[in-house]
Amino acid sequence: MQDMLLVIGVIVILLVQIAILYFAYVSNARMRDLSKTLTHQYNIIVKIQSTLKNKSATNAVAENAEMIYQDLLQNLIPIMAAIDVMPRTTSEHPLWRALGGIMDEYAKNPFTLEKLRRCIKLDAEVARSIDNYMNRADAFLNHLTTTDPDGILAATFTDGLLGQSLTLFAQAKQLAAQTNE
């Protein structure tokens, strides 16, 4: 009888140990799953935080867009006067009318590039205005590129009048640096 009780006791102890091991294994698996879930949630929170920072920065650009546009326009006015170009007569913002006027004139008359080159070469004020415009427009585009999560807004500006004007002015500056007139 004692042997039987001893065997039953050992079996009960083994069953308890197996149950403890099973619960330990299940608890470990649940902890791993919980850890994976928390890591995933943390990564999502980091992405949300990054998106919100980018949206905040983009909103700051949008809120300050008028100041940025006015600054760019102030640098375009002496350039337009020097190459004798009038802004478009549309209902757009004055910056886009000015850029449109320059690009329209260049499309009609490629000699506009030569006039621009001469002005850069001979007039320090025009050269300074072009440098200021290019630096500020490039900084604006770089800021948009880094803060625009899907790139649509940055591409709109880069492919639009702002990007085209930067290309035209860069060509004129390069030609002015190459020639000895």
Side-chain angles (χ1 to χ4, degrees):
M1 184 72 155
Q2 277 186 339
D3 288 338
M4 182 99 143
L5 285 175
L6 185 63
V7 170
I8 291 175
V10 169
I11 291 175
V12 169
I13 291 174
L14 283 175
L15 288 176
V16 169
Q17 286 179 341
I18 290 172
I20 290 172
L21 287 174
Y22 173 75
F23 287 124
Y25 176 77
V26 169
S27 294
N28 246 355
R30 286 184 181 166
M31 289 302 285
R32 277 193 307 271
D33 290 344
L34 183 61
S35 176
K36 284 180 186 176
T37 302
L38 288 175
T39 301
H40 180 69
Q41 286 178 345
Y42 175 77
N43 290 336
I44 288 174
I45 289 172
V46 168
K47 284 181 183 177
I48 289 171
Q49 184 182 25
S50 175
T51 301
L52 289 176
K53 281 182 183 177
N54 288 340
K55 285 188 184 283
S56 173
T58 302
N59 288 343
V61 168
E63 290 170 4
N64 296 321
E66 185 60 32
M67 289 179 6
I68 294 167
Y69 291 173
Q70 288 300 323
D71 183 46
L72 292 172
L73 182 61
Q74 291 304 313
N75 288 298
L76 280 178
I77 292 171
I79 298 167
M80 292 177 66
I83 60 174
D84 196 29
V85 171
M86 296 300 294
R88 286 180 177 166
T89 54
T90 61
S91 62
E92 300 171 292
H93 187 279
L95 173 65
W96 307 124
R97 290 193 334 231
L99 288 172
I102 292 171
M103 297 313 295
D104 291 347
E105 184 66 27
Y106 177 63
K108 287 188 286 187
N109 182 6
F111 186 68
T112 304
L113 180 62
E114 175 60 20
K115 288 194 322 189
L116 191 56
R117 181 200 67 81
R118 286 182 186 168
C119 289
I120 292 170
K121 190 81 170 169
L122 302 174
D123 189 345
E125 178 65 26
V126 171
R128 187 171 34 261
S129 292
I130 285 185
D131 285 339
N132 287 340
Y133 174 83
M134 289 180 71
N135 289 336
R136 289 182 172 111
D138 194 43
F140 177 61
L141 289 176
N142 285 336
H143 182 73
L144 283 178
T145 302
T146 58
T147 59
D148 187 15
D150 53 10
I152 295 172
L153 184 62
T156 301
F157 280 96
T158 303
D159 297 340
L161 289 171
L162 197 63
Q164 292 172 12
S165 68
L166 282 173
T167 302
L168 176 67
F169 292 160
Q171 287 176 335
K173 276 184 65 170
Q174 184 178 19
L175 290 172
Q178 290 174 355
T179 59
N180 292 324
E181 183 178 342

